[in-house]
């Protein structure tokens, strides 16, 4: 059989292949040849074959059949064989293959070999792919070599020790005595690898960290020598002596100085020296400065040093080299939380970086700009950021939009500015806005009561032209539904009011409904908006009825359900329609981060529907009315119990006062529950100390007429979620002229902390005739039930 | 920590690859192809550090050859940039003009 071709020939042959298929064919042919050669146990050419196999492996072809051959090569006595064998082991074997354990003995022997190069090979291989079993077996040998005086071996042993520690952390203590003299070396290779070893030990174990703190003076001295020493041809890189070692030492100093005042103090001088003396004309110098800045920021340095560091970063930002600007922006982002003011000084440069061509730089600049926005510079920064939003790549738009919303919320100088900014974001990047932003925006708009007319007008104009951006259309349809009456009446003060007719508004909402571009959610918004307009608009109710009934047979289940319910609202429950579709109250913000839950009860009164609807359909809760209706033998509708806890729902027919506004700190204010025909009933409240869900109400009935009221019976009914206990009254006669009162105690159990409401029924005899009255008590103070 | 060290030419052929953590062999070819695509799409005045998945790439171009190093966030990117140049200089010194010839052929 002819001698197998050399590696060089193989590479040349493969290079001539013009297509992937050709290359594969060549490689397969060669693999077959190699396999048959392996089978023949040919010692002379094994090394050559394995080398070719490794090359093919690098190109991506499977080479597992060479693993055993690597082991045979390692066991051979020839150095060339060992070299390829160990290389193959490093590339092809790892702890996943069972074969690797066979290597352990070979490595052990080679670690004690007479030739340092063989020892070096063994150390390299162990340090590259040693499994935990191998490391445990051979750690002793490695430790021995760490103490040898041969610097070639010492540096390799140090790196091998790093790998051993990574695989088997318990063996760390074993290497501790050997580290004592490591830093006394002159050889930079040994110094470098020793620093790596020390870094690894300090990162893994806080005890080691404390132990090695005493090395700080020595490290400082080494660093000083590096900076001060003259030109050394061995270690020079573009005029700086061994920058790689300098960077390593700086990193170790960073780890040692973190959270430790003494070490940090010992380092201050050398850090200042490095920062000022390093030449910045070449990239090498900048790399060292970068590492220095990171170290200064991380340790407990004095403020002068920190200012120096930030100034260095500022200088980096002005540099023409993109790499340096990128690195500066990254570091500034890390420090902006702690040294906010210092970073503010460089704000204009950072904003300029927004216009850079490089994607990584733009992203960094954007993040940093958001971190720098504060109350003073919000207008200017927003202008720049909005301009950036216009022109940036799509991958940025979502993040930029969210960032702008957050910043606007925190620092908006005026409501109008806030709404303008939101409008601008919606129109430029409407389709990239996150879904949770829509409820946030709606809540924001509801809260700025005086801007409703202006907002709805601008939103209407925005969707007139283009209704493809879903979040924009959702917010706009919600607003048009809520404030449509303001829109047609043309009452905008901030801007030139536009003339819009009810039909035009309905046109646009209908086109949203019909359009193919609208998502299902958007259609839901539009349908509900149209429904709400039935109470706000006067002349187009029939049109609305028609639209709603069409969608009663829509394929989309969500739309169909809504349409059917709204239809029923028109037909059977028309009397409730105005109350249900009233204006939304100001919503409470539940959370500031993440999606805001607009918590409301949905008072759909359809007997068939007992589920609560998703927030966008904000209809007034009417279920409370139902709860009470049947308790006193009223209508036959089964009440719907609100399943979601209520925040502050407005009652149908009248808005509650903002009760939390007038907190009475001395006690719960009493109320007049009923006052008619001379009969006045006052409620005073007490909260039970033992059970916080119990409210004790004491009623006092007084009579201001000139005749007594006799046989007075007080009855009360509460919604189903409450429990009521009526204790016996003090008497059944209310004397005339307010000369006496009847007292009765009611205990109300309110486990769900729902708003307290009560229906009372009063029967008494007055002036010879039997009187009976029903009344509803709604004005319970908040402290009585919360 | 350096994750891998690659030398890839403009056509996407790998000239040298060394992985310091285990990556499946079929994933390696995909990774190399994606990495070179990222590097080729950069212009000359963009920075040499690319954020790729959850680590960073530092690349440097020499004629038709790209040297790409994948690092994680603990490394100093600029020091690695210098390291790449140092490596190429070492190859140059060691193999003298063979390297510069080969670089052009690569």
């Amino acid at each position: 059989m002819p001698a197998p071709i050399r590696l060089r020939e193989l590479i040349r042959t493969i290079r001539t292949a013009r297509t992937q298929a050709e290359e594969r064919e060549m490689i397969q042919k060669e693999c077959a040849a190699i396999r048959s050669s392996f089978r023949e146990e040919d010692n002379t050419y094994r090394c050559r074959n394995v080398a070719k196999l490794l090359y093919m492996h690098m190109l991506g072809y499977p080479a597992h059949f060479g693993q055993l051959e690597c082991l045979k090569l390692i066991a051979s006595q020839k150095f060339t064989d060992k070299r390829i064998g160990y290389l193959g082991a490093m590339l092809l074997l790892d702890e996943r293959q069972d074969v690797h354990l066979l290597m352990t003995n070979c490595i052990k022997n080679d670690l004690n070999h007479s030739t340092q190069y063989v020892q070096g090979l063994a150390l390299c291989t162990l340090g590259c792919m040693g499994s935990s079993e191998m490391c445990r077996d051979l750690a002793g040998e490695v430790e021995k070599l760490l103490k040898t005086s041969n610097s070639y071996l010492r540096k390799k042993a140090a790196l091998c020790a790093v790998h051993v520690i990574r695989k088997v952390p318990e063996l760390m203590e074993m290497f501790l005595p050997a580290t004592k003299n490591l830093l006394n070396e002159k050889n930079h290779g040994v110094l470098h690898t020793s620093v790596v070893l020390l870094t690894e030990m300090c990162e893994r174990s806080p005890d080691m960290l404390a132990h090695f703190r005493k090395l700080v003076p020595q490290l400082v001295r080494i660093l000083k020598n590096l900076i001060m020493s003259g030109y050394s041809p061995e270690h020079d890189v573009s005029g700086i002596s061994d920058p790689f070692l300098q960077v390593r030492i700086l990193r170790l100093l960073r780890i040692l100085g973190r959270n430790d005042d003494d070490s940090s103090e010992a380092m201050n001088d050398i850090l200042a020296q490095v920062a000022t003396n390093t030449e910045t004309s070449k990239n090498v110098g900048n790399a060292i400065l970068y590492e220095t800045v990171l170290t200064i920021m991380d340790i407990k340095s004095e403020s002068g040093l920190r200012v120096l560091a930030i100034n260095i970063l500022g200088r980096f930002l002005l540099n023409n080299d993109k790499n340096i600007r990128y690195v500066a922006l990254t570091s500034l982002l890390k420090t902006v939380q702690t040294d906010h003011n210092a970073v503010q000084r460089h704000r204009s440069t950072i904003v300029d970086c927004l216009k850079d061509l490089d994607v990584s730089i733009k992203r960094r600049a954007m993040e940093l700009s958001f971190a720098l926005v504060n109350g003073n510079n919000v207008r200017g920064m927003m202008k720049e950021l909005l301009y950036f939003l216009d022109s940036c790549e799509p991958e940025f738009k979502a993040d930029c939009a969210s960032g702008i919303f957050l910043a606007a919320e925190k620092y908006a100088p005026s409501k109008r500015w806030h709404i303008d900014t939101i409008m601008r974001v919606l129109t430029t990047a409407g389709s990239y806005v996150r879904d949770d932003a829509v409820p946030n925006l709606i809540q924001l708009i509801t809260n700025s009561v005086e801007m409703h007319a202006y907002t709805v007008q601008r939103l209407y104009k925005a969707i007139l032209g283009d209704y493809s951006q879903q979040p924009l259309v959702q917010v706009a349809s919600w607003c048009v539904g809520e404030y449509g009456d303001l829109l047609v009446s043309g009452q905008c003060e901030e801007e030139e009011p536009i003339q819009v007719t009810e039909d035009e508004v309905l046109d646009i909402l209908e086109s949203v409904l019909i359009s193919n571009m609208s998502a299902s959610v958007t259609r839901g918004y539009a349908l509900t908006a149209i429904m709400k307009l039935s109470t706000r608009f006067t002349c187009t109710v029939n049109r609305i009825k028609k639209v709603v009934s069409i969608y009663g047979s829509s394929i989309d289940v969500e739309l169909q359900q809504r349409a059917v319910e709204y239809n029923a609202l028109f037909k059977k429950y028309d009397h409730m329609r105005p109350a249900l579709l009233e204006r939304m109250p100001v919503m409470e913000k539940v959370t500031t981060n993440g999606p805001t839950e607009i918590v409301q009860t949905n008072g759909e009164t359809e007997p068939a529907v007992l589920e609560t609807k998703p927030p966008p359909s904000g209809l007034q809760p009417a279920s409370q009315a139902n709860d009470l209706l049947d308790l006193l033998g009223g209508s036959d509708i089964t009440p719907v119990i609100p399943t979601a806890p209520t925040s502050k729902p407005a009652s149908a027919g009248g808005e509650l006062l903002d009760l939390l506004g007038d907190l009475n700190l001395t006690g719960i204010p009493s109320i007049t529950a009923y006052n008619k025909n001379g009969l006045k009933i006052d409620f005073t409240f007490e909260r039970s100390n033992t059970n916080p869900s119990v409210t004790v109400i004491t009623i006092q009935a007084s009579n201001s007429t000139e005749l007594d009221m006799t046989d007075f019976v007080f009855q009360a009914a509460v919604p189903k979620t409450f429990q009521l206990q009526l204790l016996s009254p003090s008497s059944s006669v209310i004397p005339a002229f307010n000369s006496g009162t009847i007292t009765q105690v009611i205990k109300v159990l309110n486990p769900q902390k729902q708003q307290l409401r009560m229906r009372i029924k009063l029967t008494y005899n007055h002036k010879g005739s039997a009187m009976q009255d029903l009344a509803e008590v709604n004005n319970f103070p908040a402290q009585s039930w919360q | 920590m350096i994750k891998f060290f690659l030398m890839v030419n403009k056509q996407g052929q790998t000239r040298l690859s060394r992985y310091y953590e285990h990556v499946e062999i079929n994933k390696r070819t995909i990774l190399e192809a994606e990495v070179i695509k990222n590097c080729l799409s950069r212009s000359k005045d963009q920075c040499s550090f690319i954020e790729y998945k959850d680590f960073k790439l530092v690349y440097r171009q020499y004629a038709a050859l790209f040297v790409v190093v994948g690092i994680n966030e603990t490394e100093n990117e600029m020091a690695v940039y210098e390291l790449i140049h140092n490596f190429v200089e070492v190859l140059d010194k060691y193999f003298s003009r063979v390297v510069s010839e080969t670089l052009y052929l690569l």
Side-chain angles (χ1 to χ4, degrees):
Chain A
M1 189 185 151
I5 61 173
R6 290 168 171 269
L7 176 60
R8 260 177 245 189
E9 304 277 333
L10 177 67
I11 297 180
R12 250 181 235 136
T13 328
I14 293 180
R15 292 264 179 102
T16 59
R18 244 160 281 159
T19 67
Q20 187 74 358
E22 240 182 276
E23 182 183 296
R24 218 173 329 177
E25 210 185 293
M26 287 180 193
I27 289 190
Q28 268 171 0
K29 210 169 80 182
E30 190 56 37
C31 271
I34 292 177
R35 251 190 279 239
S36 52
S37 173
F38 283 162
R39 243 174 291 138
E40 288 172 15
E41 299 281 333
D42 184 347
N43 285 343
T44 359
Y45 294 117
R46 189 179 286 136
C47 150
R48 195 186 283 184
N49 285 326
V50 171
K52 284 187 285 188
L53 198 60
L54 292 177
Y55 181 77
M56 293 191 284
H57 173 81
M58 193 183 81
L59 290 181
Y61 297 93
H64 42 270
F65 55 89
Q67 286 166 8
L68 266 175
E69 303 299 317
C70 291
L71 291 179
K72 290 184 199 158
L73 282 173
I74 291 174
S76 144
Q77 289 309 311
K78 279 161 64 182
F79 180 72
T80 40
D81 280 356
K82 275 194 197 280
R83 197 172 59 170
I84 298 285
Y86 275 124
L87 179 63
M90 279 193 267
L91 292 180
L92 296 177
L93 288 174
D94 55 43
E95 49 193 25
R96 273 161 256 250
Q97 275 83 21
D98 300 324
V99 189
H100 79 277
L101 282 170
L102 296 173
M103 267 180 17
T104 317
N105 212 24
C106 280
I107 295 186
K108 190 173 193 147
N109 292 334
D110 283 336
L111 281 175
N112 293 320
H113 207 272
S114 42
T115 323
Q116 63 174 9
Y117 300 109
V118 176
Q119 289 176 297
L121 277 178
L123 280 170
C124 270
T125 310
L126 181 62
C128 191
M129 45 70 67
S131 64
S132 20
E133 294 92 24
M134 285 170 78
C135 289
R136 251 183 256 270
D137 287 337
L138 299 168
E141 308 286 329
V142 176
E143 200 252 339
K144 213 164 58 179
L145 286 172
L146 198 51
K147 294 198 260 211
T148 170
S149 51
N150 184 336
S151 43
Y152 173 83
L153 286 177
R154 224 167 164 197
K155 70 182 183 215
K156 288 191 191 277
L159 285 180
C160 193
V162 172
H163 179 85
V164 169
I165 292 176
R166 280 198 189 138
K167 281 285 176 193
V168 192
E170 297 91 50
L171 292 175
M172 221 190 301
E173 274 86 39
M174 193 177 183
F175 294 104
L176 193 50
T179 59
K180 247 190 272 230
N181 291 327
L182 277 180
L183 289 181
N184 294 333
E185 271 277 345
K186 291 275 183 286
N187 183 311
H188 279 212
V190 181
L191 270 179
H192 194 131
T193 54
S194 316
V195 173
V196 174
L197 178 59
L198 291 172
T199 312
E200 185 71 25
M201 288 168 107
C202 291
E203 276 175 351
R204 289 198 171 248
S205 151
D207 298 325
M208 292 286 180
L209 183 61
H211 173 83
F212 285 126
R213 281 227 171 92
K214 62 178 196 279
L215 290 176
V216 171
Q218 208 172 356
L219 288 166
V220 169
R221 220 180 17 248
I222 297 174
L223 194 51
K224 199 168 189 144
N225 283 337
L226 279 175
I227 307 172
M228 291 313 197
S229 69
Y231 175 74
S232 147
E234 243 178 77
H235 306 125
D236 180 79
V237 180
S238 310
I240 299 190
S241 182
D242 207 341
F244 303 109
L245 181 58
Q246 291 190 32
V247 164
R248 281 270 172 215
I249 293 181
L250 284 166
R251 194 172 310 155
L252 181 57
L253 285 176
R254 181 155 88 231
I255 296 175
L256 291 174
R258 210 176 271 157
N259 291 331
D260 188 68
D261 293 320
D262 295 324
S263 315
S264 308
E265 217 183 290
M267 292 177 214
N268 273 331
D269 286 336
I270 191 66
L271 288 173
Q273 206 176 356
V274 174
T276 41
N277 282 355
T278 313
E279 222 191 85
T280 55
S281 53
K282 295 272 181 64
N283 183 56
V284 199
N286 288 324
I288 297 179
L289 277 179
Y290 175 41
E291 195 72 31
T292 318
V293 165
L294 288 178
T295 304
I296 293 176
M297 286 299 149
D298 234 0
I299 64 173
K300 291 188 176 288
S301 50
E302 52 181 19
S303 59
L305 207 50
R306 294 185 94 92
V307 172
L308 178 62
I310 298 209
N311 286 345
I312 293 178
L313 289 178
R315 258 203 338 261
F316 275 1
L317 275 180
L318 297 168
N319 197 310
N320 283 330
D321 190 346
K322 303 292 167 140
N323 297 341
I324 296 175
R325 273 203 267 174
Y326 171 86
V327 146
L329 286 171
T330 317
S331 325
L332 281 172
L333 199 54
K334 285 190 214 149
T335 62
V336 75
Q337 305 302 328
T338 42
D339 293 272
H340 193 94
N341 293 331
V343 183
Q344 281 281 0
R345 247 177 272 142
H346 302 284
R347 199 184 67 233
S348 47
T349 332
I350 294 171
V351 169
D352 278 335
C353 288
L354 280 173
K355 308 196 184 84
D356 199 291
L357 290 168
D358 185 299
V359 170
S360 322
I361 292 185
K362 270 203 272 209
R363 178 170 284 284
R364 290 274 178 282
M366 179 181 84
E367 286 168 10
L368 203 46
S369 307
F370 282 128
L372 285 177
V373 173
N374 65 17
N376 295 333
N377 56 29
V378 66
R379 278 188 201 262
M381 291 290 275
M382 257 332 148
K383 215 162 60 171
E384 295 286 341
L385 286 165
L386 284 169
Y387 181 70
F388 173 68
L389 185 65
D390 271 334
S391 51
C392 69
E393 284 87 354
E395 63 223 32
F396 288 133
K397 289 206 189 214
D399 291 325
C400 192
S402 320
I404 292 182
F405 284 147
L406 275 170
E409 211 176 289
K410 273 197 267 189
Y411 301 113
S414 73
K415 288 238 159 93
R416 167 158 180 180
W417 180 91
H418 196 168
I419 297 211
D420 278 339
T421 311
I422 292 178
M423 292 287 313
R424 181 87 189 267
V425 175
L426 282 177
T427 42
T428 44
S431 31
Y432 298 98
V433 167
R434 294 220 172 92
D435 294 332
D436 58 345
V438 172
N440 279 341
L441 292 177
I442 291 181
Q443 196 226 5
L444 177 69
I445 293 173
T446 357
N447 285 342
S448 23
V449 176
E450 64 279 6
M451 304 289 305
H452 283 165
Y454 170 69
T455 315
V456 70
Q457 187 166 305
R458 282 208 64 185
L459 282 170
Y460 175 75
K461 281 199 281 197
I463 61 170
L464 254 188
D466 161 35
Y467 40 86
S468 61
Q469 305 195 74
Q470 298 304 302
L472 173 63
V473 175
Q474 285 170 10
V475 176
S477 23
W478 190 92
C479 286
V480 166
E482 270 298 300
Y483 311 121
D485 47 335
L486 295 175
L487 187 59
V488 293
S489 64
Q491 314 170 334
C492 184
E493 299 142 0
E494 310 268 345
E495 230 187 33
E496 197 56 41
I498 54 174
Q499 303 301 327
V500 185
T501 65
E502 298 180 0
D503 276 305
E504 282 172 353
V505 174
L506 286 173
D507 279 338
I508 196 78
L509 284 174
E510 271 188 64
S511 29
V512 169
L513 265 178
I514 300 173
S515 159
N516 289 332
M517 295 187 280
S518 301
S520 175
V521 176
T522 317
R523 290 215 182 97
Y525 271 94
L527 189 61
T528 310
I530 292 181
M531 188 59 195
K532 284 193 216 169
L533 290 173
S534 69
T535 45
R536 313 225 195 312
F537 286 175
T538 44
C539 11
T540 42
V541 183
N542 285 330
R543 180 174 172 184
I544 294 177
K545 266 196 220 172
K546 213 169 61 164
V547 172
V548 166
S549 60
I550 291 174
Y551 280 90
S553 46
S554 152
I555 295 181
D556 184 336
V557 181
E558 171 76 19
L559 276 184
Q560 191 192 87
Q561 187 174 11
R562 286 183 193 219
V564 164
E565 289 173 9
Y566 295 159
N567 249 334
L569 208 52
F570 271 122
K571 300 207 175 79
K572 273 171 56 178
Y573 302 107
D574 204 40
H575 53 283
M576 283 208 264
R577 196 164 45 86
L580 276 173
L581 301 175
E582 241 191 31
R583 188 83 95 217
M584 287 291 290
V586 169
M587 298 179 215
E588 225 172 63
K589 198 151 193 195
V590 178
T591 50
T592 44
N593 295 321
T596 307
E597 280 169 357
I598 299 183
V599 172
Q600 318 151 30
T601 46
N602 182 306
E604 295 288 346
T605 58
E606 293 302 309
V609 179
L610 282 179
E611 51 179 17
T612 47
K613 275 286 176 53
S617 72
L619 290 182
Q620 292 296 339
S623 57
Q624 275 89 340
N626 282 333
D627 286 343
L628 303 176
L629 277 175
D630 80 328
L631 285 164
L632 298 170
S635 72
D636 53 349
I637 301 171
T638 53
V640 173
I641 298 180
T643 52
T646 52
S647 49
K648 277 194 296 177
S651 63
E655 283 182 356
L656 287 172
L657 303 166
D658 186 0
L659 294 166
L660 289 177
D662 53 359
L663 268 178
N664 189 348
L665 293 171
T666 55
I668 310 174
S670 52
I671 57 168
T672 302
Y674 177 89
N675 192 350
K676 224 161 72 169
N677 298 331
L679 173 62
K680 186 157 93 105
I681 299 188
D682 291 306
F683 282 10
T684 47
F685 303 94
E686 245 174 49
R687 298 295 289 273
S688 161
N689 286 333
T690 48
N691 185 348
S693 330
V694 170
T695 311
V696 179
I697 308 176
T698 310
I699 67 153
Q700 282 183 318
S702 56
N703 175 2
S704 59
T705 63
E706 61 274 19
L707 277 179
D708 292 351
M709 294 172 180
T710 57
D711 295 320
F712 176 84
V713 177
F714 173 93
Q715 283 173 303
V718 286
K720 276 201 174 139
T721 50
F722 298 90
Q723 276 175 35
L724 194 65
Q725 188 187 16
L726 271 173
L727 302 177
S728 31
S730 55
S731 86
S732 62
V733 174
I734 317 179
F737 300 111
N738 289 326
S739 46
T741 59
I742 290 184
T743 323
Q744 189 166 13
V745 172
I746 308 173
K747 286 199 185 151
V748 180
L749 180 66
N750 180 7
Q752 292 183 22
K753 299 250 188 271
Q754 295 204 354
Q755 175 163 19
L756 190 51
R757 311 163 110 249
M758 202 185 267
R759 275 228 168 174
I760 56 179
K761 185 171 169 182
L762 310 158
T763 46
Y764 55 91
N765 287 333
H766 190 233
K767 294 184 186 163
S769 48
M771 306 279 285
Q772 186 180 323
D773 202 358
L774 281 170
E776 200 171 23
V777 186
N778 291 331
N779 50 341
F780 286 90
Q783 301 102 305
S784 63
W785 49 272
Q786 271 188 338
Chain B
M1 198 187 111
I2 293 183
K3 295 192 177 240
F4 55 82
F5 191 104
L6 298 173
M7 284 171 90
V8 191
N9 77 352
K10 269 196 183 155
Q11 280 82 38
Q13 295 170 313
T14 310
R15 295 303 181 213
L16 174 71
S17 80
R18 184 76 163 98
Y19 287 84
Y20 295 100
E21 10 167 75
H22 183 77
V23 178
E24 298 286 330
I25 193 164
N26 46 353
K27 294 226 177 70
R28 289 186 191 191
T29 30
I30 301 173
L31 176 71
E32 282 153 28
E34 269 186 38
V35 160
I36 193 67
K37 202 163 59 163
N38 269 324
C39 295
L40 280 176
S41 58
R42 312 275 285 179
S43 72
K44 219 190 320 224
D45 50 358
Q46 287 182 292
C47 85
S48 309
F49 314 130
I50 308 176
E51 270 140 42
Y52 176 75
K53 293 206 180 140
D54 60 342
F55 50 88
K56 285 197 199 140
L57 301 171
V58 181
Y59 73 93
R60 222 168 156 157
Q61 188 177 4
Y62 294 92
L65 189 70
F66 281 89
V67 182
V68 187
V69 178
I71 56 173
N72 70 358
E73 64 277 348
T74 55
E75 281 294 327
N76 180 335
E77 298 98 336
M78 292 177 39
V80 174
Y81 190 72
E82 273 310 306
L83 179 69
I84 295 177
H85 192 69
N86 202 356
F87 177 75
V88 173
E89 277 182 348
V90 165
L91 283 183
D92 195 42
K93 280 263 160 59
Y94 211 138
F95 299 106
S96 57
R97 57 181 185 81
V98 179
V99 171
S100 34
E101 264 183 29
T102 326
L103 280 180
Y104 284 105
L105 284 175
L106 288 170

